Amino acid sequence: MVSIFLIVFISSFSVLFFEVLLLRIFSITLSYHFASFVLAISIFGIVLGSLTVYVLGNTIKIKPLDASFLLSFSFPFHFLVSHFIPFDHVKLLWEKTHLFYLILKIIPILCPFWAYGLLIGLCYREYARFAAKIYAADLVGAACGAFLAPYLLDKMSPETALGLVFSLVSVFSFLFRLLTKDIFSLLYLFVPLPLSLAIALNYFPIRISEYKGLPSLLKMPHSELIDTIYTRDSRLDIVWNPHLRYAPGLSFKFTEKAPCGLLLCKDAEISGIFLEESKIQNVEFLRFLPSFLPYVIEERPKTVFFVGLGSGLELITAKIQGVEKLYVAERDTSVRKFLEKFYGRNLLHTSTRKFLKETKEKFDLIVISRTYYLPSGNFGLEEDYETTVDAFLEYLYALEERGLLFIQIFRVPPPRYELKLFNNLFYALHISNLLPVKKHLLVFASWDTIGFLVKKDGFRDEDYSRVRNFLKERMFEPVFPPNLLSENLIEGLPEKDFILILSDSSASEFIKAYPFDIRITTDQRPFFNYFLKLSRIKDIYRITNKGCAYFIMEGMALPFLFFILSLFVLFTLAYAFLKGKVLTAGSCRIIPYFLSIGFGFMFVEVLFIHRLLKIHGSPVDTFSIVVASFLLSAGFGSLFVSFLKEKKIILFVPIVPILLFLLYLFDPLKEMTVYLFALGFFMGFFFPLGTKVLCQEDPSVTPFAYYINGMASVLAPQAGSLIALAFGLDFLLLCSIGLYGIAIFIVSHSLKPSPHPYP
């Protein structure tokens, strides 16, 4: 029996590790949205494997060891087959054959997850009385995989890390077979192990879409790939090309050449050009950038805080102006490694919000630059805790009395980024009682950027005079307040008119009627880059004239993904009903119970991932911490349950909704890790409790219960994010409380003496 638990542990470890690395690989080769789609499909493969065991029943003659061989073989099989499939997500827009390639790419991805689901289903069927311990080994193994993956990603490329894990699974499967004196164990030495080692040695490097920035850049004359840095946050390629230059918003009055620098490509997309101070021959060009305006008002600020490194331009400007103390909070580990490796500089590796909470420093200037190399928006579902109303309140609090806050973004038509940002600033100034707003806020535009400048104690006449001269000399356009210049404003800037409307009493009517969602974003709804209104899809399509690609990149991928996965779930469930496998008396309890705990568990997980991102900054770190903590503690909880009787377990399960309600009331960010382990431990009670109470009459139904729980895990992340988008994170927390309440009600009313209680 010990070998079975070890097999489950190793298999679960490898599968979760594989999931994390799939996210990184598809972010590099295709896009982040496609990676999310693949991960959701992978979870579907796991539950499909479990359903296979339940539907086919005793007609499946293979044992768990056979399934472990399938798993060890399907890992490298997936990687190699996917390597040779010529799928490109961009070509989906004009070549129908790539829809066929997409299907071909999904099938091998399903294989290892289906094999793992088959393994788990067989273990539950063969050893039903040890379901709690199997579930515990499953969760603990997955937790270890989620915890270890980020650390390996900091040391090596994703394909090398995958090859090593594939090899580990093959070796363990070989040893398990060898112990049973099975002659087929030699197959591991001749098939999966050599293939896995070939992947680890980079004989099959990942193929990047030819339409991403890095492949296009390397095709240009004189482009040279200098180095590639791999970390948990991104793959950073450093490229040199003397023909590409970078100076966002540079005034037309500057007629000389802008400086060139090292091009940085994050996940194969150009993210910026890093400029080194010693390589800039004429620093005068810095004075013709919109980002120089804060130094026109405050010539020598003593302390400056930069939210992210950006291109280094703002940092160089601050040094030239003689700033005494510079602080830079950079959450991307790859950027930090690049700066340490090439220039010997160290940055604060922390999230902006965490740094502001911990520091006692007051700043003369805070700079937020979102002018990346290409003027494209971030993914619609990416959380941004640096631009919420709550964040702006913290920035204002961290400023000296005469301090300045400067924000710069690209102008990306149609207007929406600048409107939402103005909205957040406007609301934060009102909450801080910095009124009238036009005394504390200036908005101006260059040919490709929008700049927002906030002064805590308000602009004075001499400040306005300096601003007027700066804008006139550099041909920049004033936007707010409207009477900043005496001359007539240049026409043709829709942002100007919209922002003026936002500042008057009819703001709410305008926001409601506007085709895009430009409502304020708070820590409860931190999705700054999400602008779609589903009720205005036709209007948005007419305005943008950009087709499906625009909607996918703006966040429409999430509801589309939820719809597709729902169809998959309904199809498989209908198949089980047609086979007559679900039409039992216990189905009316098994289905709602395991759906409730599946959705409830994943909703809580999604909630913590969203909330802890504000503290940790790095999405991969946050995902790893939350998933590993929940799965590890839930595994221990499941193991603890195996030693208790059902009636005693019932006494503990109400702790989960109580803890969730306390989280709703107090939101204890500092004690969040304690909450993670406490919640995970007690949430781990529910699955084994359900198998003991609801599956006691027919233990063979346990794989079906695992399938239902897994189906909820497939749909819950997308559903949870949609709920958070629409109603906020607190509403998602209330949904979790309700779901666990339903589960407690079902299991408590189903409890009855068991003629054959499990030990």
Side-chain angles (χ1 to χ4, degrees):
M1 280 305 302
V2 176
S3 61
I4 289 297
F5 300 138
L6 191 56
I7 289 173
V8 172
F9 175 86
I10 296 296
S11 302
S12 178
F13 169 88
S14 61
V15 166
L16 210 290
F17 189 98
F18 182 46
E19 284 189 22
V20 175
L21 266 69
L22 265 186
L23 180 63
R24 292 296 318 126
I25 287 175
F26 281 94
S27 294
I28 296 170
T29 58
L30 299 174
S31 73
Y32 179 81
H33 282 303
F34 190 81
S36 301
F37 179 76
V38 170
L39 288 181
I41 293 295
S42 68
I43 301 174
F44 176 77
I46 295 176
V47 296
L48 194 62
S50 179
L51 182 66
T52 302
V53 175
Y54 177 70
V55 172
L56 298 183
N58 294 326
T59 59
I60 298 182
K61 301 301 182 183
I62 63 175
K63 300 296 182 181
L65 275 177
D66 302 316
S68 70
F69 171 75
L70 288 175
L71 179 64
S72 64
F73 177 75
S74 61
F75 273 140
F77 169 79
H78 145 265
F79 194 90
L80 296 177
V81 172
S82 297
H83 179 79
F84 293 104
I85 296 175
F87 170 72
D88 195 314
H89 69 296
V90 178
K91 290 184 179 179
L92 275 172
L93 300 175
W94 65 82
E95 290 188 17
K96 295 182 180 179
T97 54
H98 280 264
L99 183 60
F100 173 71
Y101 292 146
L102 173 60
I103 297 172
L104 288 182
K105 203 170 184 72
I106 288 175
I107 292 174
I109 291 172
L110 281 173
C111 288
F113 297 101
W114 174 83
Y116 174 70
L118 190 71
L119 169 64
I120 295 297
L122 290 171
C123 289
Y124 281 130
R125 188 190 70 178
E126 298 290 331
Y127 309 100
R129 47 191 285 116
F130 298 102
K133 294 181 180 179
I134 292 172
Y135 186 66
D138 179 15
L139 294 181
V140 173
C144 293
F147 182 77
L148 183 62
Y151 292 96
L152 281 185
L153 284 171
D154 284 340
K155 305 296 182 182
M156 61 191 70
S157 66
E159 52 265 50
T160 300
L162 275 182
L164 291 177
V165 172
F166 295 167
S167 303
L168 177 69
V169 176
S170 299
V171 169
F172 271 96
S173 299
F174 168 72
L175 293 176
F176 289 134
R177 279 280 190 177
L178 199 61
L179 292 175
T180 61
K181 299 180 180 180
D182 190 343
I183 191 173
F184 289 103
S185 60
L186 294 176
L187 287 173
Y188 292 96
L189 299 179
F190 295 104
V191 184
L193 185 57
L195 292 177
S196 300
L197 291 175
I199 294 171
L201 295 173
N202 281 329
Y203 282 102
F204 302 96
I206 58 177
R207 299 172 59 179
I208 301 173
S209 168
E210 62 179 310
Y211 294 96
K212 298 199 79 173
L214 179 62
S216 302
L217 177 62
L218 293 178
K219 293 178 183 178
M220 296 179 62
H222 308 294
S223 289
E224 178 186 355
L225 180 61
I226 296 177
D227 196 6
T228 299
I229 298 173
Y230 292 99
T231 68
R232 65 187 67 188
D233 294 319
S234 64
R235 163 180 163 165
L236 191 69
D237 293 280
I238 298 97
V239 181
W240 167 256
N241 188 305
H243 302 298
L244 295 181
R245 302 170 187 274
Y246 178 73
L250 182 63
S251 171
F252 292 127
K253 289 282 189 175
F254 188 79
T255 56
E256 300 180 26
K257 284 186 178 181
C260 58
L262 294 176
L263 285 94
L264 305 182
C265 299
K266 288 184 182 179
D267 290 341
E269 291 287 7
I270 302 174
S271 63
I273 297 181
F274 185 82
L275 302 174
E276 177 65 11
E277 183 179 354
S278 60
K279 301 293 179 64
I280 300 177
Q281 298 178 353
N282 184 5
V283 296
E284 188 64 23
F285 96 100
L286 295 172
R287 300 179 182 276
F288 287 83
L289 294 173
S291 55
F292 192 77
L293 180 58
Y295 300 98
V296 171
I297 297 176
E298 186 69 34
E299 294 184 6
R300 293 185 179 274
K302 294 181 179 179
T303 56
V304 180
F305 174 54
F306 297 95
V307 179
L309 178 66
S311 65
L313 274 175
E314 292 82 6
L315 195 62
I316 295 171
T317 304
K319 286 186 175 182
I320 291 175
Q321 290 302 114
V323 175
E324 297 177 5
K325 294 182 180 180
L326 294 173
Y327 299 88
V328 184
E330 177 57 57
R331 67 182 186 181
D332 193 300
T333 311
S334 297
V335 176
R336 291 179 56 250
K337 281 192 173 183
F338 158 73
L339 213 62
E340 292 171 6
K341 185 174 182 178
F342 283 80
Y343 302 103
R345 296 179 184 173
N346 293 312
L347 304 179
L348 296 171
H349 185 209
T350 181
S351 71
T352 300
R353 303 289 295 279
K354 184 179 180 180
F355 173 71
L356 290 176
K357 286 283 187 183
E358 295 175 352
T359 186
K360 297 180 180 179
E361 190 81 56
K362 291 289 185 178
F363 304 101
D364 296 311
L365 174 62
I366 297 177
V367 179
I368 307 173
S369 179
R370 295 300 173 86
T371 48
Y372 305 110
Y373 185 72
L374 294 178
S376 57
N378 293 325
F379 296 112
L381 302 174
E382 182 182 348
E383 304 92 336
D384 189 350
Y385 283 102
E386 296 172 349
T387 55
T388 62
V389 172
D390 307 78
F392 287 141
L393 292 174
E394 291 184 16
Y395 297 146
L396 292 173
Y397 177 78
L399 287 174
E400 294 282 4
E401 191 59 32
R402 291 174 55 86
L404 296 166
L405 169 64
F406 179 72
I407 308 165
Q408 185 172 234
I409 62 173
F410 273 121
R411 295 169 62 185
V412 184
R416 56 207 190 284
Y417 289 92
E418 53 268 49
L419 303 185
K420 186 176 287 189
L421 188 57
F422 182 90
N423 236 352
N424 287 354
L425 281 170
F426 198 88
Y427 196 76
L429 290 170
H430 267 277
I431 294 177
S432 303
N433 202 31
L434 299 180
L435 301 172
V437 171
K438 62 182 180 181
K439 182 182 178 183
H440 298 269
L441 174 63
L442 294 176
V443 185
F444 67 101
S446 68
W447 64 277
D448 67 338
T449 64
I450 292 281
F452 299 80
L453 186 64
V454 177
K455 197 167 191 294
K456 190 172 181 179
D457 65 342
F459 294 99
R460 296 175 173 81
D461 290 339
E462 59 268 25
D463 298 328
Y464 283 122
S465 177
R466 292 178 179 180
V467 171
R468 290 190 189 99
N469 293 333
F470 179 82
L471 297 183
K472 286 182 179 180
E473 290 173 2
R474 288 152 182 80
M475 298 176 63
F476 294 150
E477 173 67 15
V479 177
F480 180 87
N483 56 349
L484 185 58
L485 297 181
S486 57
E487 292 86 349
N488 293 328
L489 300 180
I490 298 175
E491 298 180 357
L493 287 175
E495 296 86 5
K496 171 183 62 182
D497 301 325
F498 292 146
I499 290 179
L500 292 181
I501 294 174
L502 281 174
S503 63
D504 63 25
S505 59
S506 62
S508 59
E509 289 79 6
F510 172 78
I511 293 172
K512 186 177 180 180
Y514 199 63
F516 297 96
D517 185 357
I518 55 172
R519 293 175 294 167
I520 62 169
T521 58
T522 64
D523 287 353
Q524 280 297 311
R525 290 182 63 255
F527 308 100
F528 180 84
N529 303 293
Y530 188 83
F531 301 96
L532 286 181
K533 287 183 179 179
L534 296 182
S535 60
R536 305 293 297 276
I537 291 296
K538 290 183 179 179
D539 294 333
I540 295 174
Y541 184 84
R542 176 180 53 81
I543 293 170
T544 60
N545 196 27
K546 294 184 179 180
C548 298
Y550 176 82
F551 290 104
I552 291 174
M553 297 304 291
E554 287 285 318
M556 193 62 186
L558 184 65
F560 175 75
L561 174 60
F562 182 73
F563 174 74
I564 294 297
L565 292 176
S566 299
L567 291 181
F568 279 134
V569 170
L570 292 175
F571 175 78
T572 55
L573 192 59
Y575 177 77
F577 269 100
L578 290 175
K579 288 291 183 178
K581 290 287 185 178
V582 190
L583 299 176
T584 62
S587 299
C588 60
R589 294 174 296 164
I590 290 175
I591 293 177
Y593 176 82
F594 286 98
L595 278 178
S596 296
I597 65 172
F599 272 100
F601 191 97
M602 294 304 296
F603 278 4
V604 174
E605 199 171 85
V606 169
L607 173 74
F608 273 87
I609 289 174
H610 283 306
R611 284 195 172 183
L612 288 182
L613 186 63
K614 179 171 66 174
I615 301 174
H616 297 285
S618 168
V620 176
D621 277 347
T622 305
F623 177 82
S624 176
I625 291 170
V626 172
V627 172
S629 300
F630 263 129
L631 294 181
L632 185 64
S633 55
F636 285 126
S638 178
L639 188 63
F640 179 74
V641 164
S642 64
F643 301 104
L644 297 178
K645 301 295 182 181
E646 293 89 328
K647 291 185 178 180
K648 290 185 178 180
I649 302 173
I650 289 290
L651 300 176
F652 289 99
V653 290
I655 295 177
V656 170
I658 292 174
L659 286 175
L660 290 174
F661 187 70
L662 291 175
L663 184 65
Y664 173 76
L665 292 178
F666 300 109
D667 192 16
L669 286 177
K670 291 184 179 180
E671 293 79 23
M672 212 52 114
T673 306
V674 177
Y675 265 83
L676 276 173
F677 276 94
L679 277 172
F681 181 78
F682 290 109
M683 286 193 299
F685 286 21
F686 281 85
F687 184 85
L689 174 62
T691 58
K692 283 189 174 187
V693 175
L694 303 178
C695 305
Q696 60 179 332
E697 296 179 359
D698 183 11
S700 65
V701 82
T702 305
F704 177 70
Y706 181 79
Y707 157 76
I708 293 296
N709 187 70
M711 279 296 135
S713 300
V714 172
L715 298 176
Q718 290 75 35
S721 294
L722 287 172
I723 291 172
L725 277 171
F727 305 106
L729 295 175
D730 274 351
F731 189 80
L732 186 62
L733 180 58
L734 294 175
C735 290
S736 305
I737 295 173
L739 288 166
Y740 275 105
I742 292 172
I744 293 172
F745 175 81
I746 293 173
V747 75
S748 60
H749 282 72
S750 303
L751 188 63
K752 58 183 178 181
S754 173
H756 303 288
Y758 298 144

